[in-house]
Structures are given as structure tokens and as C-alpha cells.
Amino acid sequence: MNNSVLKGSLLVALGASSYGMLTTFVKMAYAEGYTSYEITFSQMLLGLIGLIILNLIFVKEKQSYIEQTKTKSILKLMAAGTSLGLTSIFYYFAVKYIPVSIGIVLLMQSVWISVLLESIITKKKPGLNKILAVIVILIGTVLATNILIDAVELDWRGIGWGLLAAVSYTITIYTSNTVALHLHSFRRSLWMMLGGTIIIAIISAPFLLEQFNLEIFKKWGLLLALFGTILPPILFTSGMPKINVGLGAIISSVELPVAVILAYLLLGEVINIYQWTGIIIIIVSVILMNMSKLFKRKK
């Protein structure tokens, strides 16, 4: 592995790990009495401010940018960003009722949901490797969520919100890779974040007017924005071009064990052998799904 690929792999791994840390921080914020709306709104707003600063520093606008950035493209990105905002609030609702280790597994269902979405949009049957990967993911999910253990009682509100988060996350991934690709990645992230912030502000407004502790901004909002909306774009856009798509997808799956391990260390969540087996199976399925891309030369 040459230095460029190694550096790219490390950057992508750090970006995925940043996402994996989020839910544990959210749980800790819940323990201090902050609401889902306070947590999500502070993260989105501070993330938006962070992306504005990044754009001002790193994105040098050329004359052609004004011609390329038409209102239609901006509106499409903002509309796509609503799924980004909804993913956050659905996911944070989910971990209010279920452990982080199960919440992250539910979010990972976006892997097979994306296969389904792709087949519907392209009207093409998925390949055998993808079908096998989906089956493996479902088997891993059964183990990782502990539903085979009679003593375990899962709150179905958490399961429902977690699956909604997975669907919304799938839409976010799809639109991130299809909408206004002619723009700089930071610029696209900015407009999507603006759309996400607006939808979260609309949803949260009635609740924030009744209760809004400004301490959330300096206590947890900045931390969540840093690891959820500021660092990942920098790390992914820097690392992904150095490696191919298959390797990137495989390395990104590190988000799952990072989330589980952090929940174990900081929250004291107990992870049994069945859950670890399920988590490993899900990661293997991601590798299986991307094997065909793994050995392709980066163009």
C-alpha cells in the first residue's frame, strides 16, 4: 500500500469514526436533561456556521461559479439537505429509547435499503453479491439487536425511529452523490446543511419556544457539530479521492464498531457475544458488497 492510499484510508477511517462517536455524546447530553430538539438544533446550527467558515477559507470562487450555481441547483441541494436533518432527529429519537449499540445497527440498514432504492431507480435487478450481502446484513441485524434473546425487551418506538433514520440516511447518501456535482464538495455540503437546518428549525420551533437551554451550544452543540458536520466532510473529501470506492465503503464501516466500543467505554452498555457476532457479520457483508469495486484501479 503506497503512502497516498494509506493516508486516504486513515482520513476516511477518521471521518467514519467521527460519525461513530456522535450517538454516545447524544446519550450523555440526554443524561444531563437536554431534549432531542435542543441537541439536534444546536448541532445543525453550529455545523452550518462551521461550514460557512470553511467555505470562506477554502473555497475560492471563480467567475464560472456564478454561472454554474443557479437557483435551481441551490434549491435541489437544500431539498436534499432536509433528509440530512431528518436523519439526525430520527436517529436521536431512536437512541432515546434503545441502546447506542442497537441504534447504530439500525442505521446501518441503509446499506441494503440503498440497494433496494438503486434497483428501483435504475430498474435493474441487483447482482448476486449484493443480494447475498443483504441476506447477510439481515442475519447480522437479528443477532446484533439481540431479538433472539427472550430476556431482552426492545422499545419499538426506538426500532421505528431507527428504521426511519436508515431510510432518511439512504436518501441523504443518494442525493449527496447525484445532486449538483459540478459544485465544490464544501459548497454542496453548505447548501445541504442549510436545508437541513431549516427543516430542523421548523420541526423544533414549537418545543424550543417552551424550553431551550442555551448552555447546549457550548456544552454539547459544538462537540456534535464538530464530529457530525464539520470534520467528516473535510476528512472524506480529502481521503476518498486517494482510494477507490470499494475500499472507501469498507473502511467507512468502521463507524459501527467505533460507536459500539465508545458506548461500552463511556456509557457502560453491555455487548454480548451475539451482538459482536452480528456486528462482525454486518461488516463482512459490507466487504462482500464492495469486493468487485475493491480491486478496480482508481481512475
Side-chain angles (χ1 to χ4, degrees):
M1 183 180 290
N2 59 44
N3 289 335
S4 178
V5 174
L6 178 59
K7 182 179 178 181
S9 299
L10 288 173
L11 290 171
V12 171
L14 286 172
S17 297
S18 296
Y19 279 134
M21 296 177 184
L22 280 179
T23 331
T24 294
F25 296 148
V26 170
K27 277 280 195 179
M28 294 171 75
Y30 278 147
E32 294 186 6
Y34 294 106
T35 67
S36 304
Y37 304 103
E38 290 173 321
I39 293 168
T40 311
F41 179 72
S42 63
Q43 176 189 332
M44 298 297 289
L45 182 60
L46 292 177
L48 176 63
I49 294 171
L51 284 172
I52 290 174
I53 295 171
L54 287 175
N55 273 269
L56 291 174
I57 296 173
F58 295 107
V59 182
K60 306 300 180 183
E61 295 181 1
K62 298 180 180 179
Q63 186 65 32
S64 59
Y65 170 78
I66 299 175
E67 299 174 1
Q68 292 176 324
T69 311
K70 296 181 180 179
T71 303
K72 189 175 181 180
S73 294
I74 292 174
L75 291 177
K76 281 183 178 180
L77 285 169
M78 290 177 64
T82 59
S83 64
L84 177 67
L86 291 175
T87 298
S88 294
I89 200 163
F90 290 161
Y91 189 36
Y92 295 168
F93 279 159
V95 297
K96 188 175 182 180
Y97 301 107
I98 55 178
V100 169
S101 54
I102 294 178
I104 188 66
V105 167
L106 291 174
L107 188 65
M108 287 292 289
Q109 302 310 298
S110 59
V111 176
W112 69 262
I113 296 174
S114 65
V115 173
L116 179 61
L117 178 64
E118 182 183 30
S119 66
I120 292 173
I121 292 174
T122 61
K123 296 181 180 179
K124 292 181 180 179
K125 184 180 178 180
L128 180 61
N129 66 319
K130 289 188 177 182
I131 294 175
L132 289 174
V134 168
I135 294 172
V136 173
I137 286 173
L138 293 175
I139 294 172
T141 300
V142 169
L143 292 171
T145 52
N146 252 346
I147 60 177
L148 293 179
I149 310 300
D150 293 334
V152 175
E153 292 185 5
L154 295 178
D155 193 317
W156 288 101
R157 290 174 295 180
I159 300 295
W161 286 119
L163 292 176
L164 280 176
V167 172
S168 185
Y169 188 45
T170 303
I171 296 172
T172 300
I173 294 172
Y174 177 77
T175 53
S176 295
N177 289 287
T178 56
V179 179
L181 298 180
H182 60 280
L183 298 181
H184 190 286
S185 57
F186 279 14
R187 189 69 72 187
R188 293 171 65 242
S189 296
L190 173 61
W191 290 121
M192 289 184 70
M193 182 58 63
L194 178 59
T197 304
I198 290 173
I199 192 66
I200 290 301
I202 293 172
I203 293 172
S204 303
F207 304 94
L208 295 180
L209 289 174
E210 292 183 4
Q211 176 187 340
F212 188 28
N213 188 346
L214 293 175
E215 288 292 314
I216 187 69
F217 282 111
K218 67 178 184 180
K219 189 69 183 288
W220 293 106
L222 185 59
L223 192 66
L224 292 170
L226 181 65
F227 286 101
T229 55
I230 298 175
L231 280 180
I234 297 175
L235 294 168
F236 279 124
T237 54
S238 299
M240 282 295 188
K242 302 179 188 300
I243 57 180
N244 64 36
V245 176
L247 182 57
I250 291 170
I251 294 173
S252 296
S253 65
V254 74
E255 175 184 348
L256 180 54
V258 166
V260 173
I261 291 171
L262 205 64
Y264 170 76
L265 293 175
L266 298 183
L267 301 176
E269 289 190 6
V270 178
I271 316 297
N272 62 38
I273 188 63
Y274 298 104
Q275 288 176 281
W276 278 119
T277 302
I279 289 167
I280 292 171
I281 287 175
I282 290 173
I283 293 174
V284 169
S285 72
V286 174
I287 295 174
L288 175 66
M289 186 177 292
N290 290 279
M291 282 299 291
S292 61
K293 301 174 186 175
L294 181 58
F295 300 106
K296 287 184 179 179
R297 291 182 180 271
K298 183 172 70 68
K299 296 183 179 180

